[in-house]
Amino acid sequence: MLGALLEKIDIPYIIFERTSLIRPLGSAISIGSPILALFQQLGIYDELVHSSLRYNHIAAHKENMEPYTLQDFTPLEDITGYPQYIIARPVLYDLLLRQIPAHKILLKKKILTISEEDDRVTIYAFDNTAYQGDILVGADGAYSVVRQRLYEKLKKKGWLPKNDDEELPFNCTCLVGQTDYMDPDEFPILKNPCSQVLAVRGTDLPYSYVSKFSRTNKEKNSEWGSHAAKQMCDETRDLRTPIKSDEGGYLKLGDLYDKTPQDRVSKVMLEEKVFETWYHGRTVLLGDGATAAIHDALALTNLLYALPSKTSADIKHIFSEYQSERRPKAHATFKNSRLLSHILRKDHLGKMARMVSTNMPTWMWRIFLSKAFGNRPQAGFLEKVEAKGTGHVFSSSSMEKARVVYQEWKERMQIIHQDAL
Protein backbone atom coordinates (compact mmCIF):
# COMPACT_ATOMS: atom_id res chain seq x y z
CA MET A 1 0.00 0.00 0.00
CA LEU A 2 2.84 2.39 0.79
CA GLY A 3 4.30 1.72 -2.65
CA ALA A 4 0.93 2.24 -4.35
CA LEU A 5 0.56 5.61 -2.62
CA LEU A 6 4.11 6.76 -3.38
CA GLU A 7 3.49 5.79 -7.01
CA LYS A 8 0.70 8.39 -7.13
CA ILE A 9 3.00 11.26 -6.09
CA ASP A 10 6.12 10.27 -8.04
CA ILE A 11 8.32 9.75 -4.98
CA PRO A 12 10.98 7.20 -6.02
CA TYR A 13 11.07 4.03 -3.94
CA ILE A 14 12.22 0.40 -3.95
CA ILE A 15 10.56 -2.46 -2.03
CA PHE A 16 12.99 -5.06 -0.67
CA GLU A 17 11.52 -8.53 -0.07
CA ARG A 18 13.64 -11.22 1.54
CA THR A 19 11.78 -14.21 0.02
CA SER A 20 12.05 -15.41 -3.57
CA LEU A 21 8.27 -15.26 -4.03
CA ILE A 22 5.63 -13.10 -2.41
CA ARG A 23 3.32 -15.51 -0.60
CA PRO A 24 0.27 -14.06 1.20
CA LEU A 25 -0.37 -16.03 4.37
CA GLY A 26 -3.72 -16.37 6.09
CA SER A 27 -7.23 -17.10 4.90
CA ALA A 28 -9.76 -14.36 4.26
CA ILE A 29 -9.74 -10.80 5.52
CA SER A 30 -12.46 -8.38 6.55
CA ILE A 31 -12.39 -4.94 4.93
CA GLY A 32 -14.75 -2.04 5.34
CA SER A 33 -15.25 1.69 5.66
CA PRO A 34 -11.90 2.54 7.35
CA ILE A 35 -10.08 1.91 4.04
CA LEU A 36 -12.72 1.81 1.28
CA ALA A 37 -12.62 5.54 0.51
CA LEU A 38 -8.86 5.21 -0.01
CA PHE A 39 -9.44 2.37 -2.47
CA GLN A 40 -11.87 4.66 -4.31
CA GLN A 41 -9.17 7.33 -4.53
CA LEU A 42 -6.72 4.77 -5.94
CA GLY A 43 -9.24 3.72 -8.58
CA ILE A 44 -9.41 0.07 -7.47
CA TYR A 45 -12.60 0.13 -5.39
CA ASP A 46 -14.86 -1.46 -8.02
CA GLU A 47 -12.45 -4.35 -8.59
CA LEU A 48 -12.12 -4.83 -4.84
CA VAL A 49 -15.89 -5.04 -4.38
CA HIS A 50 -16.24 -7.36 -7.39
CA SER A 51 -13.66 -9.72 -5.87
CA SER A 52 -15.31 -9.68 -2.42
CA LEU A 53 -18.50 -10.77 -0.75
CA ARG A 54 -20.30 -8.54 1.70
CA TYR A 55 -21.14 -9.87 5.13
CA ASN A 56 -23.79 -8.67 7.50
CA HIS A 57 -23.14 -10.49 10.73
CA ILE A 58 -20.92 -12.86 12.67
CA ALA A 59 -22.74 -15.97 13.87
CA ALA A 60 -20.98 -17.23 16.99
CA HIS A 61 -21.77 -20.56 18.65
CA LYS A 62 -20.97 -22.46 21.78
CA GLU A 63 -19.11 -25.76 21.50
CA ASN A 64 -22.47 -27.61 21.57
CA MET A 65 -23.56 -25.50 18.54
CA GLU A 66 -26.01 -23.46 20.60
CA PRO A 67 -25.97 -20.02 18.91
CA TYR A 68 -25.14 -16.75 20.59
CA THR A 69 -27.00 -13.60 19.55
CA LEU A 70 -25.81 -12.48 16.10
CA GLN A 71 -23.28 -9.66 15.90
CA ASP A 72 -25.11 -7.47 13.41
CA PHE A 73 -22.98 -5.21 11.19
CA THR A 74 -25.78 -3.98 8.93
CA PRO A 75 -25.95 -0.62 10.83
CA LEU A 76 -22.49 0.19 9.41
CA GLU A 77 -23.94 0.91 5.98
CA ASP A 78 -26.08 3.65 7.51
CA ILE A 79 -23.31 4.91 9.82
CA THR A 80 -20.42 4.90 7.32
CA GLY A 81 -22.07 4.54 3.91
CA TYR A 82 -20.21 1.26 3.27
CA PRO A 83 -21.00 -2.37 4.07
CA GLN A 84 -18.41 -4.86 5.32
CA TYR A 85 -16.71 -7.23 2.90
CA ILE A 86 -14.75 -10.48 3.07
CA ILE A 87 -11.97 -11.00 0.52
CA ALA A 88 -9.46 -13.81 0.08
CA ARG A 89 -5.99 -12.55 1.05
CA PRO A 90 -4.31 -13.72 -2.19
CA VAL A 91 -6.87 -11.72 -4.19
CA LEU A 92 -6.26 -8.58 -2.13
CA TYR A 93 -2.47 -9.03 -2.36
CA ASP A 94 -2.69 -9.42 -6.13
CA LEU A 95 -4.80 -6.27 -6.44
CA LEU A 96 -2.28 -4.21 -4.47
CA LEU A 97 0.76 -5.76 -6.16
CA ARG A 98 -0.61 -4.78 -9.56
CA GLN A 99 -0.33 -1.13 -8.50
CA ILE A 100 3.46 -1.52 -8.23
CA PRO A 101 5.72 -1.70 -11.32
CA ALA A 102 7.48 -5.06 -11.16
CA HIS A 103 10.97 -3.54 -11.35
CA LYS A 104 10.36 -1.69 -8.07
CA ILE A 105 10.14 -4.91 -6.03
CA LEU A 106 13.46 -6.66 -5.47
CA LEU A 107 13.14 -10.28 -4.28
CA LYS A 108 15.66 -12.36 -2.29
CA LYS A 109 16.94 -9.24 -0.50
CA LYS A 110 17.56 -10.26 3.10
CA ILE A 111 18.83 -7.19 4.95
CA LEU A 112 21.81 -7.71 7.24
CA THR A 113 22.97 -4.29 8.43
CA ILE A 114 21.99 -0.64 8.22
CA SER A 115 24.17 2.45 8.43
CA GLU A 116 23.24 6.11 8.42
CA GLU A 117 24.95 9.39 7.70
CA ASP A 118 23.41 12.83 8.04
CA ASP A 119 21.94 12.88 4.55
CA ARG A 120 21.75 9.18 3.64
CA VAL A 121 20.73 5.77 4.97
CA THR A 122 22.35 2.63 3.53
CA ILE A 123 21.17 -0.99 3.72
CA TYR A 124 23.44 -3.99 3.13
CA ALA A 125 21.86 -7.23 1.88
CA PHE A 126 22.90 -10.87 2.28
CA ASP A 127 23.91 -11.08 -1.40
CA ASN A 128 26.64 -8.41 -0.90
CA THR A 129 24.59 -5.63 -2.48
CA ALA A 130 24.06 -2.20 -0.91
CA TYR A 131 21.42 0.46 -1.50
CA GLN A 132 21.16 4.11 -0.46
CA GLY A 133 18.15 6.32 0.11
CA ASP A 134 16.85 9.37 1.92
CA ILE A 135 14.48 7.32 4.11
CA LEU A 136 14.24 3.68 5.20
CA VAL A 137 10.78 2.31 6.07
CA GLY A 138 10.55 -0.90 8.07
CA ALA A 139 7.33 -2.57 6.89
CA ASP A 140 8.45 -6.11 7.63
CA GLY A 141 6.10 -7.21 10.38
CA ALA A 142 6.31 -8.01 14.06
CA TYR A 143 9.83 -9.42 13.81
CA SER A 144 11.06 -6.58 11.63
CA VAL A 145 14.79 -6.76 10.84
CA VAL A 146 14.76 -2.98 10.38
CA ARG A 147 13.30 -2.52 13.86
CA GLN A 148 15.79 -4.93 15.40
CA ARG A 149 18.77 -3.15 13.83
CA LEU A 150 17.37 0.24 14.81
CA TYR A 151 16.79 -0.87 18.41
CA GLU A 152 20.28 -2.40 18.66
CA LYS A 153 21.72 0.97 17.70
CA LEU A 154 19.55 2.86 20.20
CA LYS A 155 20.29 0.36 22.98
CA LYS A 156 24.06 0.83 22.56
CA LYS A 157 23.56 4.56 23.03
CA GLY A 158 21.27 4.06 26.03
CA TRP A 159 18.30 5.60 24.21
CA LEU A 160 16.01 2.56 23.93
CA PRO A 161 13.02 2.53 26.35
CA LYS A 162 12.87 -0.52 28.61
CA ASN A 163 9.50 -1.60 27.17
CA ASP A 164 10.95 -1.73 23.64
CA ASP A 165 13.78 -4.01 24.80
CA GLU A 166 11.41 -6.66 26.16
CA GLU A 167 10.37 -9.76 24.22
CA LEU A 168 7.13 -9.81 22.26
CA PRO A 169 4.42 -11.25 24.55
CA PHE A 170 2.94 -14.51 23.25
CA ASN A 171 -0.82 -14.32 22.70
CA CYS A 172 -1.99 -17.45 20.93
CA THR A 173 -1.27 -19.87 18.10
CA CYS A 174 -3.43 -19.68 14.97
CA LEU A 175 -4.02 -22.21 12.24
CA VAL A 176 -5.04 -20.37 9.07
CA GLY A 177 -5.66 -21.48 5.51
CA GLN A 178 -7.81 -21.39 2.42
CA THR A 179 -9.60 -24.33 0.83
CA ASP A 180 -9.76 -25.16 -2.84
CA TYR A 181 -12.88 -24.21 -4.75
CA MET A 182 -15.87 -25.92 -3.10
CA ASP A 183 -18.96 -26.93 -5.05
CA PRO A 184 -22.07 -25.05 -3.81
CA ASP A 185 -24.20 -28.12 -4.57
CA GLU A 186 -22.07 -30.10 -2.13
CA PHE A 187 -21.85 -27.20 0.35
CA PRO A 188 -25.18 -25.31 0.07
CA ILE A 189 -24.05 -22.61 2.51
CA LEU A 190 -21.96 -21.25 -0.39
CA LYS A 191 -25.11 -20.41 -2.36
CA ASN A 192 -25.83 -17.53 0.00
CA PRO A 193 -25.13 -14.21 -1.81
CA CYS A 194 -23.43 -12.85 1.31
CA SER A 195 -20.33 -14.20 2.99
CA GLN A 196 -21.02 -16.34 6.03
CA VAL A 197 -18.77 -15.70 9.03
CA LEU A 198 -19.26 -18.53 11.52
CA ALA A 199 -17.42 -18.76 14.83
CA VAL A 200 -17.18 -21.25 17.66
CA ARG A 201 -16.01 -19.78 20.96
CA GLY A 202 -14.19 -22.40 22.96
CA THR A 203 -14.97 -22.42 26.66
CA ASP A 204 -14.08 -25.98 27.69
CA LEU A 205 -11.63 -26.74 24.89
CA PRO A 206 -8.49 -24.63 24.32
CA TYR A 207 -9.65 -23.68 20.81
CA SER A 208 -11.86 -21.09 19.15
CA TYR A 209 -12.31 -21.04 15.39
CA VAL A 210 -13.85 -19.01 12.59
CA SER A 211 -14.96 -20.03 9.10
CA LYS A 212 -15.24 -17.28 6.47
CA PHE A 213 -16.70 -17.98 3.05
CA SER A 214 -15.40 -15.67 0.33
CA ARG A 215 -15.34 -15.47 -3.44
CA THR A 216 -12.27 -16.98 -5.08
CA ASN A 217 -11.24 -18.58 -8.36
CA LYS A 218 -11.93 -22.20 -9.26
CA GLU A 219 -8.28 -22.63 -10.21
CA LYS A 220 -5.78 -23.64 -7.58
CA ASN A 221 -4.05 -20.61 -6.11
CA SER A 222 -0.30 -21.12 -5.81
CA GLU A 223 0.39 -18.12 -3.59
CA TRP A 224 0.45 -20.06 -0.34
CA GLY A 225 3.65 -21.23 1.30
CA SER A 226 4.26 -24.57 2.97
CA HIS A 227 4.34 -24.49 6.79
CA ALA A 228 4.50 -27.13 9.51
CA ALA A 229 0.89 -27.21 10.68
CA LYS A 230 -0.05 -30.90 10.33
CA GLN A 231 0.05 -31.65 14.06
CA MET A 232 -2.40 -28.87 14.87
CA CYS A 233 -4.64 -30.02 12.01
CA ASP A 234 -4.65 -33.54 13.45
CA GLU A 235 -5.46 -32.23 16.94
CA THR A 236 -8.45 -30.17 15.76
CA ARG A 237 -9.90 -32.05 12.78
CA ASP A 238 -12.73 -33.63 14.84
CA LEU A 239 -14.03 -30.29 16.17
CA ARG A 240 -17.53 -29.53 14.90
CA THR A 241 -18.36 -26.42 12.87
CA PRO A 242 -21.78 -24.72 12.67
CA ILE A 243 -22.09 -25.88 9.02
CA LYS A 244 -24.87 -28.46 8.56
CA SER A 245 -24.00 -31.65 6.66
CA ASP A 246 -26.24 -33.60 4.26
CA GLU A 247 -26.68 -36.28 6.92
CA GLY A 248 -28.26 -33.76 9.30
CA GLY A 249 -25.25 -33.38 11.56
CA TYR A 250 -22.42 -30.85 11.43
CA LEU A 251 -19.32 -30.70 9.29
CA LYS A 252 -16.03 -30.97 11.16
CA LEU A 253 -12.92 -28.88 10.70
CA GLY A 254 -11.35 -31.96 9.15
CA ASP A 255 -13.87 -31.75 6.30
CA LEU A 256 -12.44 -28.30 5.48
CA TYR A 257 -8.84 -29.44 5.98
CA ASP A 258 -9.44 -32.23 3.43
CA LYS A 259 -10.41 -29.57 0.89
CA THR A 260 -7.26 -27.56 1.59
CA PRO A 261 -3.85 -28.23 -0.03
CA GLN A 262 -1.11 -28.49 2.61
CA ASP A 263 0.85 -25.59 1.12
CA ARG A 264 -2.08 -23.29 1.91
CA VAL A 265 -2.19 -24.03 5.64
CA SER A 266 -0.03 -22.02 8.04
CA LYS A 267 0.59 -22.19 11.75
CA VAL A 268 1.12 -18.66 13.03
CA MET A 269 2.26 -17.42 16.43
CA LEU A 270 0.42 -14.24 17.36
CA GLU A 271 1.91 -11.58 19.61
CA GLU A 272 0.54 -8.15 20.43
CA LYS A 273 2.61 -5.19 21.55
CA VAL A 274 2.72 -1.45 20.96
CA PHE A 275 6.30 -0.20 20.76
CA GLU A 276 7.22 3.24 22.04
CA THR A 277 9.90 3.99 19.46
CA TRP A 278 8.62 4.34 15.88
CA TYR A 279 11.54 6.21 14.32
CA HIS A 280 15.08 7.48 14.69
CA GLY A 281 17.17 9.44 12.26
CA ARG A 282 16.08 8.57 8.73
CA THR A 283 14.46 5.23 9.67
CA VAL A 284 10.75 4.85 10.43
CA LEU A 285 8.53 1.84 11.18
CA LEU A 286 5.06 0.81 10.01
CA GLY A 287 2.80 -1.29 12.21
CA ASP A 288 1.56 -4.81 11.56
CA GLY A 289 -2.03 -5.81 10.86
CA ALA A 290 -4.20 -5.04 7.84
CA THR A 291 -6.22 -1.86 8.42
CA ALA A 292 -3.86 -0.36 11.00
CA ALA A 293 -0.83 -0.89 8.75
CA ILE A 294 -2.66 0.66 5.78
CA HIS A 295 -3.50 3.68 7.92
CA ASP A 296 0.16 3.92 8.96
CA ALA A 297 1.24 3.88 5.32
CA LEU A 298 -1.37 6.51 4.44
CA ALA A 299 -0.40 8.88 7.27
CA LEU A 300 3.29 8.57 6.40
CA THR A 301 2.65 9.24 2.69
CA ASN A 302 0.48 12.26 3.45
CA LEU A 303 3.33 13.72 5.49
CA LEU A 304 5.97 12.84 2.88
CA TYR A 305 3.86 14.64 0.28
CA ALA A 306 3.96 17.77 2.46
CA LEU A 307 7.69 17.40 3.26
CA PRO A 308 9.34 20.80 2.62
CA SER A 309 12.86 19.39 2.12
CA LYS A 310 14.95 16.22 2.52
CA THR A 311 17.03 17.65 5.35
CA SER A 312 17.41 15.57 8.49
CA ALA A 313 15.56 18.22 10.52
CA ASP A 314 12.47 18.17 8.26
CA ILE A 315 12.43 14.37 8.07
CA LYS A 316 12.69 14.11 11.86
CA HIS A 317 9.80 16.57 12.18
CA ILE A 318 7.40 14.60 9.94
CA PHE A 319 8.41 11.32 11.61
CA SER A 320 7.53 12.90 14.95
CA GLU A 321 4.16 14.03 13.57
CA TYR A 322 3.57 10.54 12.17
CA GLN A 323 4.22 8.89 15.54
CA SER A 324 2.08 11.45 17.38
CA GLU A 325 -0.86 10.72 15.07
CA ARG A 326 -0.62 6.96 14.76
CA ARG A 327 0.70 5.72 18.11
CA PRO A 328 -2.41 6.70 20.15
CA LYS A 329 -4.58 4.92 17.57
CA ALA A 330 -2.36 1.84 17.79
CA HIS A 331 -2.80 1.89 21.57
CA ALA A 332 -6.59 2.17 21.16
CA THR A 333 -6.62 -0.75 18.72
CA PHE A 334 -4.48 -2.81 21.10
CA LYS A 335 -6.79 -1.98 24.02
CA ASN A 336 -9.93 -2.88 22.03
CA SER A 337 -8.33 -6.16 20.95
CA ARG A 338 -7.61 -7.02 24.58
CA LEU A 339 -11.17 -6.21 25.60
CA LEU A 340 -12.65 -8.33 22.80
CA SER A 341 -10.38 -11.24 23.73
CA HIS A 342 -12.11 -11.42 27.13
CA ILE A 343 -15.01 -13.31 25.51
CA LEU A 344 -12.66 -16.28 25.04
CA ARG A 345 -11.58 -16.45 28.67
CA LYS A 346 -12.59 -19.49 30.70
CA ASP A 347 -13.17 -17.64 34.02
CA HIS A 348 -15.99 -15.48 35.41
CA LEU A 349 -14.65 -12.44 33.54
CA GLY A 350 -15.08 -14.37 30.29
CA LYS A 351 -18.67 -15.27 31.19
CA MET A 352 -19.43 -11.62 31.95
CA ALA A 353 -17.83 -10.50 28.67
CA ARG A 354 -19.91 -13.00 26.67
CA MET A 355 -23.07 -11.95 28.48
CA VAL A 356 -22.42 -8.25 27.74
CA SER A 357 -21.47 -8.85 24.10
CA THR A 358 -24.55 -10.96 23.38
CA ASN A 359 -27.04 -8.76 25.24
CA MET A 360 -25.86 -5.30 24.22
CA PRO A 361 -28.77 -2.94 23.44
CA THR A 362 -29.02 -1.83 19.81
CA TRP A 363 -28.37 1.82 20.65
CA MET A 364 -25.20 0.94 22.56
CA TRP A 365 -24.01 -1.30 19.69
CA ARG A 366 -24.48 1.58 17.24
CA ILE A 367 -22.40 3.86 19.46
CA PHE A 368 -19.67 1.23 19.59
CA LEU A 369 -19.70 0.84 15.80
CA SER A 370 -19.65 4.62 15.26
CA LYS A 371 -16.52 4.97 17.39
CA ALA A 372 -14.81 1.82 16.10
CA PHE A 373 -15.32 2.80 12.45
CA GLY A 374 -15.05 6.57 12.74
CA ASN A 375 -11.41 6.68 11.61
CA ARG A 376 -11.74 6.79 7.80
CA PRO A 377 -8.74 8.80 6.56
CA GLN A 378 -8.01 9.60 2.93
CA ALA A 379 -5.04 10.63 0.81
CA GLY A 380 -4.85 14.41 1.01
CA PHE A 381 -2.94 14.49 -2.31
CA LEU A 382 -5.77 12.85 -4.32
CA GLU A 383 -9.26 14.06 -5.11
CA LYS A 384 -11.41 13.88 -2.00
CA VAL A 385 -14.15 11.27 -1.71
CA GLU A 386 -17.14 12.85 -0.01
CA ALA A 387 -17.92 11.34 3.39
CA LYS A 388 -20.90 9.01 3.46
CA GLY A 389 -23.23 7.86 6.19
CA THR A 390 -24.65 9.46 9.30
CA GLY A 391 -21.68 8.84 11.59
CA HIS A 392 -18.95 11.32 12.47
CA VAL A 393 -15.63 10.98 10.60
CA PHE A 394 -12.56 11.65 12.75
CA SER A 395 -10.11 14.17 11.36
CA SER A 396 -6.53 13.30 10.45
CA SER A 397 -3.82 15.93 10.83
CA SER A 398 -1.60 14.29 8.20
CA MET A 399 -4.46 14.23 5.70
CA GLU A 400 -5.28 17.89 6.30
CA LYS A 401 -1.63 18.87 5.96
CA ALA A 402 -1.33 17.08 2.62
CA ARG A 403 -4.64 18.54 1.43
CA VAL A 404 -3.38 22.12 1.98
CA VAL A 405 -0.31 21.42 -0.18
CA TYR A 406 -2.48 19.69 -2.80
CA GLN A 407 -4.89 22.64 -3.02
CA GLU A 408 -1.97 25.04 -3.41
CA TRP A 409 -0.62 22.89 -6.24
CA LYS A 410 -4.01 22.83 -7.97
CA GLU A 411 -4.25 26.61 -7.77
CA ARG A 412 -0.78 27.00 -9.29
CA MET A 413 -1.68 24.59 -12.10
CA GLN A 414 -4.86 26.56 -12.77
CA ILE A 415 -2.92 29.84 -13.01
CA ILE A 416 -0.38 28.24 -15.37
CA HIS A 417 -3.22 26.91 -17.52
CA GLN A 418 -4.87 30.35 -17.70
CA ASP A 419 -1.56 31.97 -18.63
CA ALA A 420 -1.08 29.40 -21.38
CA LEU A 421 -4.50 30.21 -22.80
Side-chain angles (χ1 to χ4, degrees):
M1 177 57 81
L2 179 59
L5 292 168
L6 293 175
E7 195 69 28
K8 291 292 185 181
I9 53 179
D10 293 327
I11 291 182
Y13 66 93
I14 293 290
I15 297 174
F16 299 92
E17 168 60 43
R18 72 175 182 175
T19 63
S20 59
L21 181 68
I22 296 177
R23 295 183 176 97
L25 304 177
S27 54
I29 187 171
S30 170
I31 52 176
S33 56
I35 59 174
L36 289 179
L38 176 59
F39 277 76
Q40 284 183 274
Q41 289 184 297
L42 291 173
I44 54 178
Y45 172 78
D46 290 339
E47 186 174 356
L48 178 81
V49 172
H50 178 73
S51 303
S52 309
L53 284 176
R54 65 180 293 165
Y55 76 94
N56 298 324
H57 57 256
I58 295 177
H61 299 73
K62 299 178 181 179
E63 290 163 350
N64 63 3
M65 296 302 124
E66 179 184 344
Y68 288 103
T69 303
L70 290 176
Q71 280 187 294
D72 183 13
F73 290 93
T74 53
L76 279 174
E77 194 157 3
D78 172 61
I79 295 170
T80 70
Y82 299 94
Q84 291 290 103
Y85 293 97
I86 293 287
I87 186 170
R89 279 182 181 265
V91 177
L92 178 61
Y93 273 57
D94 179 66
L95 178 60
L96 291 176
L97 279 172
R98 281 189 275 115
Q99 312 311 307
I100 312 293
H103 69 276
K104 294 187 178 182
I105 302 180
L106 302 186
L107 301 175
K108 296 191 290 186
K109 292 295 180 181
K110 182 179 180 181
I111 307 305
L112 294 180
T113 59
I114 300 165
S115 67
E116 185 175 325
E117 299 174 356
D118 183 62
D119 62 343
R120 282 289 177 186
V121 58
T122 305
I123 58 174
Y124 301 88
F126 186 76
D127 59 0
N128 293 320
T129 54
Y131 302 86
Q132 286 191 332
D134 299 300
I135 289 171
L136 172 62
V137 181
D140 44 348
Y143 292 96
S144 164
V145 173
V146 175
R147 177 180 61 78
Q148 291 175 27
R149 298 295 176 267
L150 176 64
Y151 282 13
E152 288 169 3
K153 177 181 176 181
L154 294 177
K155 186 176 180 180
K156 287 180 181 178
K157 295 183 177 181
W159 297 346
L160 186 67
K162 181 181 178 182
N163 176 63
D164 288 348
D165 194 32
E166 296 172 352
E167 293 292 327
L168 284 168
F170 170 75
N171 187 8
C172 65
T173 301
C174 278
L175 189 70
V176 294
Q178 185 188 47
T179 68
D180 270 333
Y181 171 79
M182 295 166 63
D183 187 350
D185 289 332
E186 186 179 353
F187 299 91
I189 191 174
L190 297 174
K191 295 181 179 180
N192 195 304
C194 292
S195 177
Q196 306 299 295
V197 183
L198 309 176
V200 176
R201 295 173 180 167
T203 52
D204 297 324
L205 296 173
Y207 302 105
S208 292
Y209 38 101
V210 178
S211 300
K212 303 174 185 176
F213 297 91
S214 59
R215 180 179 289 129
T216 187
N217 295 325
K218 293 186 179 182
E219 293 80 13
K220 178 179 177 181
N221 190 303
S222 60
E223 290 290 323
W224 294 81
S226 178
H227 298 271
K230 186 177 183 304
Q231 181 179 351
M232 194 168 179
C233 287
D234 292 341
E235 290 174 358
T236 58
R237 66 177 298 108
D238 290 331
L239 296 178
R240 292 191 301 171
T241 76
I243 309 168
K244 292 289 184 67
S245 67
D246 292 337
E247 292 77 21
Y250 294 94
L251 294 182
K252 297 179 180 180
L253 285 178
D255 296 313
L256 299 181
Y257 297 160
D258 293 340
K259 293 286 185 179
T260 308
Q262 289 187 4
D263 63 350
R264 280 191 249 159
V265 181
S266 303
K267 184 178 178 180
V268 183
M269 307 287 285
L270 294 184
E271 299 90 359
E272 287 186 319
K273 181 175 180 176
V274 180
F275 291 99
E276 295 182 32
T277 307
W278 288 39
Y279 73 94
H280 180 75
R282 290 178 175 266
T283 301
V284 65
L285 306 173
L286 296 187
D288 201 11
T291 298
I294 287 175
H295 283 178
D296 284 355
L298 177 57
L300 183 59
T301 312
N302 275 329
L303 291 167
L304 288 173
Y305 178 75
L307 181 67
S309 77
K310 295 186 290 185
T311 64
S312 295
D314 282 339
I315 288 174
K316 179 180 179 181
H317 181 69
I318 67 158
F319 284 176
S320 176
E321 289 184 285
Y322 161 72
Q323 176 171 307
S324 296
E325 177 178 326
R326 291 300 305 154
R327 192 165 174 271
K329 290 181 172 58
H331 266 292
T333 300
F334 175 76
K335 184 178 179 181
N336 289 337
S337 176
R338 283 295 182 89
L339 288 173
L340 291 173
S341 69
H342 286 336
I343 63 175
L344 303 179
R345 292 176 61 134
K346 310 286 190 283
D347 56 13
H348 292 297
L349 184 59
K351 291 181 180 179
M352 290 178 60
R354 288 189 288 275
M355 182 181 69
V356 171
S357 66
T358 55
N359 294 281
M360 189 179 296
T362 302
W363 62 269
M364 186 180 293
W365 177 242
R366 284 184 66 93
I367 291 175
F368 170 80
L369 291 176
S370 296
K371 290 183 177 180
F373 291 83
N375 188 30
R376 307 195 288 276
Q378 297 185 28
F381 48 84
L382 297 174
E383 286 300 315
K384 181 180 179 181
V385 174
E386 291 302 322
K388 300 180 180 181
T390 59
H392 175 68
V393 180
F394 303 146
S395 61
S396 161
S397 58
S398 61
M399 178 181 68
E400 296 304 328
K401 191 167 188 174
R403 188 157 288 158
V404 169
V405 176
Y406 179 64
Q407 291 300 327
E408 292 173 351
W409 174 83
K410 286 181 64 176
E411 291 170 5
R412 288 197 303 271
M413 292 300 101
Q414 187 175 8
I415 291 172
I416 292 172
H417 178 70
Q418 290 172 347
D419 289 345
L421 293 176

